[in-house]
Amino acid sequence: MRLRALLDTDALGLRLLGGEDELDRTVRGVMTTDLRDPSRYLSGGELVLTGLAWRRDASDSEPFVRILVQAGVTAVAAGEAELGNVPDDLVLACARHRLPLFAVHESVAFATITEHVVRQVSGERAGDLAAVVDRHRRMMTAGPAGGGPDVVLDLLGSDLDLRAWVLSPAGRLIAGPKVGGPALPADTCARLAAEHLAAARTGRRGPHRVTLGSATYSLFAVRSSGRSPQGPRDVRETMLSEWLLAVEADTGDWPEERLDLVYGVTQLIAVERDRRDAARTVRRRLAQEILELVQTGAAPPEIAARLRVAAPVLLPGLGTAPHWQVVVARVEWQGGDLEGGPVAQSLLEEILVDPHATGPEPSDRIAVAHTGDEAIALVPLPAVSSEHDGSETGILADALLESVRDPLSAGLDEDGRVTLGVSASVHSAEGLRGALEEARHARRVAAARSGRVCAAGHQELASHVLLLPFVPDDVRRAFTARLLDPLRDYDRRHRAELIPTLEAFLDCDGSWTRCATRLHLHVNTLRYRVGRIEQLTSRDLSRLEDKLDFFLALRMS
């Protein structure tokens, strides 16, 4: 289709800002992006839709436009929802490079434009897909009435008698038909994701066919809107972050028209994938800002102020300040020729999705930043009670990877590794730096193990390890705070003198009689205090290991 046809379509609400002499250019695809350099995902002939999140100041427009022109882009359409009017610097940059520029009114969703372009460009495909899209124009809109990919899958079932599911690369069920049979079991999802990643590593063009039991599935990659069907320069750049469409059918003898129909459906689902990815932009920025404050040694009040901004975004409606956990991940490839940070960021966002979360998007609680080859997640946890009672377990490292280990191992093959480290929860800005270092150290512990996918948690950082000289001071402080802060908080509120009681109890080698005599207490009162210490810390002072941990914590405090 030609640009002039887009401009003449009133429903799209496009306004031409420059390039009137270029309206006979041909549009061969569409891509939504807010990357500063999206060239790796462009194959030429695209209409690029952008919300301008890549623009920080006027100097960013010229390099962005130059990259698009070099990639052979047909035109740019900039949304007005973020900045209001399209900035003059972008208008001038497009004029210098003779790149047509449209403004997209804030009332028009990018999904609407994408649907229109896909439908027009796919005119040679089977007519039934176009009919389906025509009857359900709202299904991929950004608003709650759209329905997202579930609606597309229901239509595949009702119109084409095909059962299909959208899966994440780690095997999480993202969408499935609401009617037409039972849900896809979790173990089947994991096996399909593993087969898809293993096939993707071979470079073979999909769909990939897999037989599990009596059912045959055909697996289609769901690539970002506008991406070349041949994929990126290196499949490892995206395969751990892209969705897949699993269709319960053997496509080996399908005609090209029917295959093209399903490929068209994957493009529509890719719109939703890009929308959800764009929705994470705010959370990613929050995580990046907090991470920079923590790593540059900012004052705790400054970090606390930023956490107060992040809390209602990540846990809306929570009346109290949350506790926080830090998760660190690295994706490393042999040879070191690929940047692992962005891949680790997408993967960590996927792994941390709470399967029990309610609402339209279960990833709303996830804030992940990346720096170099490392991704860092800031995870809020609702405070279980006003007192420390040991009931806040939060994220456990082993449970985090239990369901995704097989799919990820298949995708990593023999040349990649994923390692994760999980900190204990902290309840204030003062503990965040220690939690970050603790998570990083736990990840190094995981990296020392064998296996393609490994994780370690704060529980594995025993006191003996903390005595080693290579462990950062912040980790030692985190260890001390985790054991003694609950007692200090309780003493401050109740004047219970649990810390002096603990010191005396250890100094008396756990003798109830000698300790009670030293503190001038009845033995029953001493037993009550020691019981309260054990309850608040989830430790047992009859165990040598726990006595040793308390002894070291008191000496290091």
Side-chain angles (χ1 to χ4, degrees), residues 354-371:
D354 183 356
H356 305 295
T358 58
E361 177 49 70
S363 64
D364 283 342
R365 291 178 50 183
I366 301 166
V368 185
H370 78 81
T371 172

Side-chain angles (χ1 to χ4, degrees), residues 257-556:
E257 292 81 2
R258 194 169 178 84
L259 281 174
D260 283 347
L261 184 152
V262 179
Y263 281 122
V265 169
T266 65
Q267 291 185 38
L268 292 178
I269 296 173
V271 174
E272 177 70 6
R273 171 69 178 86
D274 293 343
R275 184 192 70 78
R276 294 193 187 187
D277 195 57
R280 290 175 172 171
T281 301
V282 172
R283 299 190 291 278
R284 288 175 173 177
R285 286 180 180 173
L286 283 172
Q288 196 72 45
E289 291 172 2
I290 294 170
L291 175 63
E292 290 175 0
L293 289 175
V294 171
Q295 295 193 129
T296 55
E302 187 177 359
I303 300 174
R306 182 54 58 183
L307 288 176
R308 286 194 293 272
V309 173
V313 175
L314 302 177
L315 281 179
L318 184 73
T320 58
H323 292 194
W324 301 92
Q325 263 185 296
V326 176
V327 182
V328 172
R330 286 177 73 96
V331 176
E332 298 170 294
W333 304 99
Q334 287 181 7
D337 55 339
L338 290 177
E339 184 181 0
V343 177
Q345 182 182 44
S346 297
L347 186 60
L348 196 51
E349 287 172 333
E350 164 59 33
I351 292 174
L352 288 173
V353 169
D354 183 356
H356 305 295
T358 58
E361 177 49 70
S363 64
D364 283 342
R365 291 178 50 183
I366 301 166
V368 185
H370 78 81
T371 172
D373 286 333
E374 184 180 69
I376 301 167
L378 190 63
V379 182
L381 303 171
V384 175
S385 68
S386 60
E387 298 186 2
H388 298 270
D389 59 3
S391 60
E392 290 185 60
T393 56
I395 296 172
L396 300 178
D398 289 339
L400 202 57
L401 293 180
E402 183 176 355
S403 63
V404 302
R405 194 180 305 274
D406 289 345
L408 295 184
S409 297
L412 295 165
D413 197 21
E414 296 298 322
D415 62 346
R417 288 199 77 196
V418 172
T419 52
L420 286 88
V422 182
S423 79
S425 64
V426 295
H427 58 87
S428 65
E430 288 85 350
L432 207 54
R433 180 172 177 81
L436 174 59
E437 294 303 327
E438 187 175 56
R440 281 174 166 163
H441 184 62
R443 193 209 62 79
R444 289 194 291 270
V445 171
R449 297 170 175 167
S450 60
R452 292 291 166 192
V453 183
C454 298
H458 62 91
Q459 302 92 338
E460 300 176 62
L461 304 183
S463 57
H464 309 85
V465 176
L466 292 172
L467 290 176
L468 298 176
F470 69 84
V471 179
D473 289 341
D474 285 312
V475 177
R476 302 187 188 194
R477 285 193 291 269
F479 171 77
T480 302
R482 185 163 67 251
L483 277 180
L484 300 185
D485 276 359
L487 307 183
R488 290 171 178 150
D489 291 347
Y490 192 89
D491 281 348
R492 188 164 49 247
R493 288 192 300 272
H494 303 286
R495 299 183 180 180
E497 297 187 339
L498 296 184
I499 292 289
T501 301
L502 175 63
E503 290 176 325
F505 186 75
L506 294 175
D507 196 40
C508 292
D509 297 324
S511 169
W512 297 98
T513 303
R514 283 194 291 131
C515 184
T517 301
R518 174 183 292 192
L519 296 175
H520 305 289
L521 296 174
H522 192 280
V523 172
N524 288 343
T525 303
L526 176 61
R527 291 185 183 277
Y528 172 82
R529 288 188 183 181
V530 171
R532 175 61 68 179
I533 292 171
E534 293 174 334
Q535 179 186 13
L536 291 171
T537 60
S538 296
R539 297 296 184 111
D540 183 356
L541 279 166
S542 67
R543 298 177 68 246
L544 176 61
E545 294 87 349
D546 288 342
K547 287 180 182 178
L548 180 59
D549 283 351
F550 277 121
F551 175 82
L552 291 172
L554 289 167
R555 291 297 180 271
M556 291 190 292

